[in-house]
Amino acid sequence: MATSTADPIDVLTDVAREQARAEARAVTAMLEFRDRELERIEMQVDSPMKRFNERSAIALAIGEAMGFSEGQVQYRLSFADTVRDHSPTTWAAFSEGRIDLGRVREIGHTISQLKRAESVHRLDRRVVEYAETHTVAELRGWLKRFVRRVEADLAVERADDEQAKRHVSFQHGDDSMGFLGAYLSSHELAAIENRIRRAARCPVDPDDQRTVAQREADLLVAWCLSTSSRGDDLSTGSRGEGVIDANIAVTVDADVLAGANPGFAESTDGRWGVPANWIADVVGSGSTFWHRIVVDPVSDDVLAHEYVGRFAPDVLSIALRFLYGTCQGPGCMVPVERCDIDHRQPWPEGPTRGDNLGPLCRRHHTYKGHGILHWTTRPQPARPAA
């Protein structure tokens, strides 16, 4: 996406870059002070106990000087050390103000997850170009997908280990209320989320004064406490004969789908990914209809049909929503369920086909209609290149 800009907007860009440079100077100064103090303590302090105490006091001294807690100082030093030592391209971009501290933090966290030196080098070569032009939230999703793709075998092992920790938790609070939590596989969580969101927004009795949030809570209680496996009829507020109806989309690389390589099935909005074999275990269960989109690893081509009408038919509209996941406005995370399917090149000059369509939320759709927002000439890939 590209937005139309006027000269005054450059002032904001300059301010953002100067702020990022200031963050880099502050973090660099913190690291240099820490390193000097560690060297001094090593050379001048003989007592092991005193050496330990003085090392511990470094974060306290930095925090007092800069208005941070010790924990904040230690956290900043930790990811800054990681990026400075393992990603020189990122560190240079940070020092020049091209990326800010928030993006450096996300990159540092990802480096700590990677176990192979080549993976870190590959990240260093690619990440700055993406980080410069995308929001922190978009970068976080890109980094998660990067880890799942370049070290798929290790990521699958970690996922299997985490799956063994699945559990449900209960916490009773004040005023006769409490919290119910569950640590679940992401694809199962997505199916539950899809089902409850859709069911809670079904047409209800006009006299029903409950909010959507209240209906979601009541629905969950009904499902958990019902003696039947069926759902809850929200139109009447009573337990009825509903069925599970969830549409979940995942993207799977062709080589992973064929079983040639380990890999992940990734949600189209980038929020989660699970080992591809987990999806295979549940796809035939019959309770949830899974849409599988196989993406060419080179061209990212998934649609080859063209239609002569203005409005995309249901099959194309659904595929586009599953492909993109969110509004394609810059940095916008509005889910596709609340977006319009828009033509990049206006119809009828622009065809109604996959490479000329994409989701825009109503606000960004309005911006585009008034010439404030402009589509790029081709779709932006949602996934990082491995």
Side-chain angles (χ1 to χ4, degrees):
M1 297 291 287
T3 56
S4 58
T5 58
D7 290 340
I9 203 69
D10 294 337
V11 175
L12 297 178
T13 302
D14 292 341
V15 169
R17 291 207 167 192
E18 182 56 37
Q19 182 176 355
R21 285 192 289 269
E23 291 173 336
R25 290 195 297 271
V27 172
T28 300
M30 292 166 64
L31 290 170
E32 291 175 347
F33 177 84
R34 191 273 315 272
D35 293 342
R36 286 196 303 269
E37 282 295 286
L38 288 175
E39 184 177 355
R40 178 190 66 78
I41 293 168
E42 189 65 28
M43 295 179 61
Q44 299 179 5
V45 180
D46 296 328
S47 168
M49 181 59 70
K50 186 176 181 182
R51 187 181 299 146
F52 174 80
N53 290 332
E54 291 203 22
R55 285 172 178 167
S56 301
I58 294 175
L60 177 63
I62 294 174
E64 290 177 340
M66 303 192 70
F68 296 143
S69 69
E70 290 179 84
Q72 289 174 316
V73 171
Q74 291 167 346
Y75 181 55
R76 281 171 168 78
L77 291 176
S78 175
F79 69 73
D81 261 334
T82 300
V83 174
R84 183 184 64 174
D85 295 344
H86 298 285
S87 184
T89 303
T90 300
W91 191 254
F94 182 39
S95 301
E96 295 165 5
R98 291 188 285 134
I99 59 175
D100 61 10
L101 186 64
R103 291 168 174 80
V104 172
R105 179 188 65 239
E106 297 297 332
I107 295 169
H109 174 69
T110 300
I111 292 173
S112 67
Q113 288 184 299
L114 297 170
K115 304 303 180 184
R116 298 181 179 123
E118 174 55 34
S119 301
V120 176
H121 294 157
R122 185 181 299 184
L123 178 68
D124 185 49
R125 292 195 302 268
R126 297 179 183 274
V127 69
V128 169
E129 181 180 3
Y130 188 91
E132 283 186 289
T133 56
H134 292 79
T135 66
V136 174
E138 290 172 326
L139 174 62
R140 186 181 301 118
W142 187 94
L143 291 168
K144 288 180 179 179
R145 294 188 291 272
F146 182 90
V147 172
R148 291 195 294 258
R149 299 193 73 188
V150 301
E151 292 188 352
D153 54 339
L154 299 179
V156 169
E157 290 179 8
R158 290 197 300 270
D160 287 335
D161 290 341
E162 285 300 307
Q163 190 186 41
K165 302 175 185 177
R166 60 191 181 276
H167 65 274
V168 177
S169 60
F170 306 88
Q171 179 182 347
H172 294 279
D174 298 332
D175 301 319
S176 304
M177 297 295 287
F179 291 92
L180 167 65
Y183 190 55
L184 304 173
S185 301
S186 286
H187 64 297
E188 295 172 331
L189 186 64
I192 294 170
E193 179 185 24
N194 180 281
R195 179 188 180 190
I196 201 168
R197 299 291 189 226
R198 289 181 57 193
R201 287 160 178 77
C202 287
V204 297
D205 190 324
D207 295 329
D208 187 349
Q209 298 301 310
R210 292 177 297 173
T211 65
V212 171
Q214 290 170 339
R215 291 201 296 272
E216 289 177 348
D218 294 344
L219 180 61
L220 179 61
V221 171
W223 288 344
C224 290
L225 298 183
S226 175
T227 56
S228 169
S229 62
R230 301 295 183 173
D232 184 28
D233 183 357
L234 286 177
S235 64
T236 62
S238 61
R239 293 169 192 169
E241 292 297 313
V243 295
I244 296 176
D245 181 15
N247 291 294
I248 306 298
V250 294
T251 59
V252 185
D253 284 341
D255 55 346
V256 174
L257 184 66
N261 291 304
F264 280 72
E266 299 174 349
S267 70
T268 53
D269 60 6
R271 290 188 301 162
W272 56 268
V274 298
N277 62 293
W278 291 11
I279 296 297
D281 291 340
V282 300
V283 72
S285 65
S287 62
T288 301
F289 186 69
W290 294 81
H291 297 257
R292 183 174 62 195
I293 300 175
V294 182
V295 180
D296 186 290
V298 177
S299 67
D300 279 327
D301 183 28
V302 297
L303 296 171
H305 294 87
E306 183 174 347
Y307 302 90
V308 296
R310 176 179 180 182
F311 298 104
D314 289 345
V315 64
L316 177 57
S317 178
I318 291 173
L320 288 165
R321 293 180 190 279
F322 281 150
L323 174 63
Y324 288 103
T326 62
C327 169
Q328 293 300 286
C332 186
M333 303 301 288
V334 172
V336 290
E337 291 79 7
R338 302 205 300 267
C339 292
D340 303 325
I341 297 298
D342 179 69
H343 290 74
R344 288 184 175 82
Q345 181 182 3
W347 188 85
E349 290 79 12
T352 302
R353 67 186 187 200
D355 59 1
N356 192 48
L357 296 170
L360 285 179
C361 69
R362 187 53 54 88
R363 179 166 62 92
H364 283 119
H365 199 171
T366 301
Y367 286 175
K368 176 175 176 286
H370 286 83
I372 301 173
L373 188 70
H374 306 281
W375 281 98
T376 49
T377 57
R378 62 185 181 86
Q380 294 296 313
R383 304 182 304 145

